[in-house]
Amino acid sequence: EDILAELEAYDKKEAQAASHAPGRHDGSPGALQEALHKVRNGAATLDLSHWSIRLGAAGCEALADCLARPQLQLTTLLLRCCDINGRGATAIADSLKKNESVTKLDLNSNQIGDAGATAIADMLQTNVKLRWLDIEGNGIGANGGTALADALRINRGLVSLHASENSIADAGAANLARALQVNNKLEILWLDSNNISLKSGEALVAALKSNSTLKTVHLATPRPGSKLLT
């Protein structure tokens, strides 16, 4: 059984539709087919971050069905700039509740929003295999930040979290500060460019005093005259 067949069928369907659209090129099928070919030949990384691949939510749902099957032993999933949105991120997150092989997930620049972040947070409450997560530049607000903080109180697998260039603001930062007081697994945390005030930044720094595992924290520095960490 070809467990990647569903994703390949989705790609061919999208390619056929694109071929009839004015101004569209036929680069996407080649890029995705090449990525699938590498996995079929034993690669543990599925890299769909090519500029011509736009999975969208429907493509993510097809991929999620593949990830839910134990035969697919991927360790790294790179989905940067794939137009995933909240629905697609939810599908991926749900599949990782069952998947026990993926340790690295890159969802950078996909506009998953609070809905996607909340789904990922829900997955992190039970998934202990994922070690590295990039959700930078995804329009995540305070609600999503709070959901992630709640997950970090429980999660004992994640080592590196990249969440810069979102908008978790002070509410999300405050909850993260409290979570960091009890989390003893996370080693790397990126939070710059999140509309976090100096006061909330100081609260995060204070939380580090009771956290002995965090080795690298990026909060950036305020611009002259600014009250926000940029």
Side-chain angles (χ1 to χ4, degrees):
E1 181 186 9
D2 184 356
I3 56 179
L4 294 172
E6 185 173 353
L7 182 57
E8 186 172 41
Y10 165 80
D11 180 52
K12 290 180 178 178
K13 179 181 178 181
E14 290 297 298
Q16 185 177 15
S19 67
H20 297 294
R24 294 294 296 273
H25 55 77
D26 60 353
S28 180
L32 197 147
Q33 294 299 323
E34 182 179 353
L36 297 181
H37 177 71
K38 290 179 180 178
V39 172
R40 287 192 174 104
N41 284 341
T45 295
L46 178 60
D47 186 357
L48 302 184
S49 297
H50 191 277
W51 62 269
S52 66
I53 300 175
R54 293 293 181 265
L55 273 186
C60 278
E61 289 170 348
L63 174 58
D65 287 342
C66 299
L67 291 171
R69 303 186 185 189
Q71 304 98 310
L72 187 61
Q73 292 294 302
L74 291 174
T75 60
T76 302
L77 191 56
L78 307 178
L79 302 175
R80 181 176 294 230
C81 302
C82 283
D83 291 345
I84 287 176
N85 71 38
R87 174 183 152 197
T90 298
I92 295 295
D94 286 347
S95 71
L96 292 182
K97 291 178 180 179
K98 304 173 184 177
N99 182 287
E100 295 188 351
S101 64
V102 174
T103 60
K104 180 175 182 177
L105 175 62
D106 186 350
L107 293 176
N108 190 306
S109 304
N110 275 294
Q111 291 304 307
I112 67 173
D114 282 344
T118 299
I120 289 172
D122 185 52
M123 173 269 293
L124 288 174
Q125 294 199 27
T126 56
N127 182 304
V128 296
K129 300 296 184 180
L130 194 66
R131 296 288 185 267
W132 190 96
L133 174 64
D134 187 341
I135 48 173
E136 291 186 4
N138 270 296
I140 299 170
N143 289 338
T146 296
L148 289 167
D150 290 342
L152 288 177
R153 292 172 181 269
I154 301 171
N155 181 273
R156 293 296 179 267
L158 201 64
V159 173
S160 181
L161 174 60
H162 297 244
S164 301
E165 298 181 22
N166 286 294
S167 299
I168 69 168
D170 286 354
N175 283 290
L176 277 171
R178 288 190 284 271
L180 293 178
Q181 292 176 345
V182 296
N183 180 287
N184 61 3
K185 188 67 178 181
L186 200 66
E187 297 179 6
I188 300 172
L189 176 63
W190 287 67
L191 280 178
D192 51 294
S193 302
N194 259 294
N195 294 322
I196 298 173
S197 70
L198 294 178
K199 183 177 180 180
S200 291
E202 291 170 355
L204 280 165
V205 172
L208 301 183
K209 294 179 180 179
S210 59
N211 186 308
S212 60
T213 56
L214 267 173
K215 300 175 181 177
T216 304
V217 180
H218 288 263
L219 292 175
T221 55
R223 295 174 182 173
S226 173
K227 295 182 179 180
L228 292 177
L229 293 169
T230 56

